[in-house]
Amino acid sequence: MSELKQTLNIAMIGHGFIGKVHSNAFHQVGHFFQTPFQPRLKVVCGRDREKLEAVASQWGWEEIATDWRTVVDRKDIQVVDIAVPNVLHAPIAIAAAAAGKIVLCEKPLAMSLDEAERMAAAVRQVPNLVWFNYRRVPAVAFAKMLLSEGRVGQIFHYRALYLNQSGSNPTKASGWRYQRAVAGSGTTGDLLSHSVDLALDLNGKITELMAMTKTFVPARDVDDAVVVMARFANGSIGSFEASRFAPGSRNRNSFEINGSQGMLRFNLENLNNLEIFDATEPANLQVAGNRPQSSLCRELLEAWSHHRLRAHLHRNTG
């Protein structure tokens, strides 16, 4: 007999691109993970009724609403999913937490440090998350497992890039992402936040940093590119670069980690590959990639076949 699951009624505030991504995630989660909950797409909320009706019809939302305040206060809603422009993250999250809801919020979390701290304080008594989804890419979770097992040894360098070419598209110049009053920042919040989250997960706390930003289009009041140098608590040093002005990069979220016993390298544009270099092998076998002759690669292939990665993912997704 199948396990009886607890239904969670979800209210999603926002119905744009990310709203569609979240709708798909709610539909798919039960196909990939054993969870005691059954998501129910109860109500989707936004300002444009016509677009709301189209989204509800396409993705199976039961109801639509145009006032997020009334939705947050509904007694039949257990989860509030925040998928709106950044300027609305704090007021919705704080109100939802006060109403005792589970709070799921898009990134970047807030418009300022003060807002972020108030949001964090508000949700301390309720389940919550920020949608940093790249931690869950199987190759990235695999890298996390190898690092936790000490396979790369002492970490020396952490390098990260997040590049795309969207900034040079003139049709996007007037969107909310390019308005500081609505977005809070540009590439820093939109792209760099993902790179920093992965670095914190894979390499630990950042203790010191310095950065520079650049806006290439004078009419914009947000940053188009950002470069960061950082020190980590584990003694390694890091560099981060994020840009919306990188022709040839569709969604290049990548990192490279160099340690005393080897290297790990990942690029989201090559989603299912994790490059591995084992410096403990004899010199003639030290080749980056999945080399069958390598004892490390044999162990990694064996780990896959015995579902160790699956178990690791299950543990870390709760």
Side-chain angles (χ1 to χ4, degrees):
M1 180 179 293
S2 61
E3 179 184 359
L4 185 62
K5 296 187 176 184
Q6 177 185 346
T7 298
L8 290 177
N9 289 339
I10 300 170
M12 184 173 72
I13 318 298
H15 55 80
F17 168 75
I18 289 299
K20 296 179 178 68
V21 172
H22 290 195
S23 298
N24 184 57
F26 293 134
H27 280 294
Q28 298 295 337
V29 63
H31 297 300
F32 292 93
F33 301 102
Q34 293 297 322
T35 167
F37 303 105
Q38 177 61 50
R40 182 179 179 183
L41 280 59
K42 188 66 177 176
V43 56
V44 58
C45 180
R47 293 178 296 182
D48 189 316
R49 181 171 292 274
E50 184 177 348
K51 290 181 179 178
L52 279 172
E53 290 175 347
V55 169
S57 175
Q58 182 177 5
W59 292 99
W61 289 92
E62 297 178 14
E63 305 173 32
I64 65 171
T66 56
D67 185 350
W68 65 263
R69 295 170 183 83
T70 61
V71 170
V72 166
D73 288 336
R74 282 177 50 162
K75 302 298 184 184
D76 62 335
I77 296 298
Q78 287 83 47
V79 181
V80 173
D81 179 20
I82 304 169
V84 292
N86 308 338
V87 70
L88 291 173
H89 288 185
I92 298 175
I94 292 170
K101 313 300 184 184
I102 297 170
V103 179
L104 316 179
C105 188
E106 255 303 328
K107 42 62 59 180
L109 183 62
M111 299 282 284
S112 66
L113 176 60
D114 175 67
E115 266 195 358
E117 289 176 339
R118 287 191 287 114
M119 292 169 72
V123 300
R124 284 200 178 106
Q125 303 303 317
V126 298
N128 64 87
L129 64 78
V130 182
W131 287 93
F132 282 118
N133 54 309
Y134 294 124
R135 290 188 180 196
R136 305 307 185 194
V137 174
V140 175
F142 199 11
K144 172 76 171 179
M145 184 176 76
L146 297 177
L147 290 165
S148 67
E149 293 176 352
R151 298 297 189 98
V152 184
Q154 178 188 351
I155 306 301
F156 301 135
H157 295 281
Y158 188 99
R159 302 182 185 88
L161 293 172
Y162 202 145
L163 310 177
N164 70 38
Q165 57 192 21
S166 62
S168 55
N169 185 343
T171 66
K172 296 186 176 183
S174 60
W176 68 264
R177 294 179 186 275
Y178 296 93
Q179 301 171 30
R180 183 174 295 277
V182 183
S185 66
T187 300
T188 298
D190 195 26
L191 303 182
L192 180 68
S193 61
H194 277 299
S195 296
V196 171
D197 178 71
L198 282 182
L200 295 173
D201 187 45
L202 297 173
N203 199 41
K205 183 179 179 181
I206 295 173
T207 58
E208 183 181 359
L209 62 81
M210 61 182 296
M212 63 180 291
T213 62
K214 175 69 176 179
T215 300
F216 295 111
V217 179
R220 294 178 184 160
D221 63 352
V222 296
D223 51 290
D224 290 321
V226 57
V227 177
V228 178
M229 294 190 296
R231 298 183 191 275
F232 289 84
N234 64 5
S236 65
I237 59 174
S239 64
F240 300 82
E241 181 182 354
S243 177
R244 292 169 171 163
F245 277 74
S249 296
R250 295 289 186 178
N251 196 34
R252 187 181 175 190
N253 181 5
S254 61
F255 62 79
E256 180 175 314
I257 303 171
N258 302 112
S260 59
Q261 294 180 199
M263 176 276 293
L264 300 175
R265 183 188 294 133
F266 171 75
N267 180 358
L268 187 68
E269 291 184 338
N270 199 8
L271 178 67
N272 296 313
N273 283 2
L274 177 67
E275 289 189 64
I276 301 165
F277 179 86
D278 184 0
T280 67
E281 289 277 25
N284 64 323
L285 296 180
Q286 291 182 2
V287 178
N290 291 329
R291 184 176 175 86
Q293 296 93 325
S294 162
S295 62
L296 173 59
C297 287
R298 284 197 301 272
E299 291 178 40
L300 299 184
L301 291 172
E302 183 178 340
W304 276 97
S305 65
H306 286 83
H307 307 289
R308 291 176 64 196
L309 177 57
R310 182 183 300 175
H312 175 78
L313 283 171
H314 180 69
R315 289 196 303 272
N316 284 274
T317 54

